[in-house]
């Protein structure tokens, strides 16, 4: 039943009541449809939240595994450096000084009468210092033995791409992973590491056209140029 004439409706209340009843049923049907849609959306959101939680959990496991792998790598590099220093100490005789990083980050040192401050990059072993002032004439291999695991790793990365202009950010990403791209502290650590390599004349520091930004290149690249 549908009203077609307002004047007629005003004198026939039963028609108005019947039409409003039909409209009520129509609204009830639409509300039921919308409620069903909302229920489906809620179920979908719950499923997405569960999937997100599972992905985050797996990601955290990968992060943990990566950190453990880096620790193992550092330990192996430290052990290798300690072996090099030990062998050098046997060849150099007396007057040697050896520092070895323990598994818990501590250092055990065997010092001779020569009291020498460790280089900031030393984290595995210091090279032997022969008596009679021969330290200044030591070959480049002895300097490399003082770099420690991170210094050796950074030098290997830079030398693997000698023509690359290594910024602190770029090296930080190679050393610590993609997360370091937005980590200013990681950039500062990489810059300090490369500045020490510059002091040892293993890399060369250059500045951009603005005179402020800097980058680093392998020494071999500048010698070739």
């Amino acid at each position: 039943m549908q009203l077609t004439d307002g004047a007629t409706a005003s004198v026939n209340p039963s028609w108005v009541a019947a039409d409003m009843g039909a409209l009520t049923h129509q609204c009830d049907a639409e509300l039921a449809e919308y409620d069903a849609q909302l229920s489906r959306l809620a179920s979908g959101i719950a499923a997405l939240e569960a999937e997100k939680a599972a992905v985050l959990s797996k990601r955290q496991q990968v992060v943990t595994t990566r950190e453990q792998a880096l620790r193992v790598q550092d330990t192996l590099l430290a052990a290798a450096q300690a072996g090099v220093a030990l062998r050098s100490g046997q060849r150099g005789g007396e007057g040697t000084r050896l520092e070895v990083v323990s598994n818990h980050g501590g250092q055990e040192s065997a010092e001779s009468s020569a009291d020498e401050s460790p280089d900031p990059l030393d984290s595995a072993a210091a090279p032997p210092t022969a008596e009679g002032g021969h330290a200044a004439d030591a070959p480049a291999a002895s300097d490399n033995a003082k770099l420690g695991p991170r210094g050796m790793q950074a030098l290997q990365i830079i030398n693997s791409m000698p023509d690359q202009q290594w910024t602190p950010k770029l090296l930080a990403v190679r050393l610590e992973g993609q997360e370091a791209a937005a980590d200013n502290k990681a950039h500062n650590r990489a810059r300090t590491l490369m500045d020490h390599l510059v002091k040892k004349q293993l890399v060369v520091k250059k500045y951009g056209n603005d005179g402020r930004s800097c980058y680093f290149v392998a020494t071999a690249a500048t010698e070739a140029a």
Side-chain angles (χ1 to χ4, degrees):
M1 181 181 299
Q2 183 176 2
L3 297 179
T4 57
D5 186 87
T8 305
S10 64
V11 297
N12 292 285
S14 60
W15 287 14
V16 176
D19 188 57
M20 292 302 99
L23 181 59
T24 300
H25 288 302
Q26 179 182 346
C27 291
D28 290 340
E30 292 180 359
L31 288 174
E33 182 179 352
Y34 290 139
D35 288 342
Q37 292 180 3
L38 290 172
S39 179
R40 287 194 299 271
L41 290 174
S43 298
I45 291 172
L48 288 175
E49 290 292 341
E51 183 178 356
K52 177 182 177 181
V55 171
L56 288 174
S57 177
K58 292 179 180 178
R59 183 184 186 279
Q60 184 57 43
Q61 291 176 0
V62 174
V63 170
T64 301
T65 301
R66 180 180 182 278
E67 291 175 350
Q68 292 175 345
L70 288 175
R71 284 195 293 270
V72 170
Q73 183 184 50
D74 289 343
T75 300
L76 292 175
L77 287 173
Q81 292 303 314
V84 170
L86 182 60
R87 175 61 67 183
S88 299
Q90 289 180 339
R91 293 174 180 173
E94 296 181 354
T96 61
R97 180 176 182 273
L98 177 63
E99 293 182 358
V100 180
V101 174
S102 68
N103 289 337
H104 300 288
Q107 290 188 339
E108 300 173 356
S109 62
E111 299 186 0
S112 66
S113 57
D115 186 8
E116 177 181 309
S117 298
D119 188 275
L121 287 176
D122 290 349
S123 60
T129 302
E131 294 179 353
H134 295 292
D137 299 327
S142 298
D143 289 337
N144 291 347
K146 296 176 62 178
L147 297 181
R150 283 181 62 83
M152 287 293 293
Q153 185 180 6
L155 186 60
Q156 290 172 357
I157 292 172
I158 293 173
N159 286 336
S160 68
M161 300 177 64
D163 297 328
Q164 174 68 44
Q165 296 181 354
W166 292 95
T167 63
K169 176 181 178 180
L170 183 59
L171 183 63
V173 170
R174 290 293 301 272
L175 287 172
E176 303 183 25
Q178 193 60 42
E179 296 84 356
D183 188 347
N184 290 329
K185 292 183 179 179
H187 302 171
N188 292 336
R189 288 194 295 271
R191 182 182 293 106
T192 299
L193 188 62
M194 289 193 289
D195 282 338
H196 284 298
L197 294 178
V198 170
K199 291 180 181 179
K200 296 179 181 297
Q201 299 182 350
L202 297 174
V203 300
V204 177
K205 185 176 184 178
K206 296 187 176 183
Y207 290 89
N209 295 331
D210 58 2
R212 299 179 59 184
S213 60
C214 65
Y215 59 91
F216 300 80
V217 296
T219 303
T222 59
E223 291 176 351

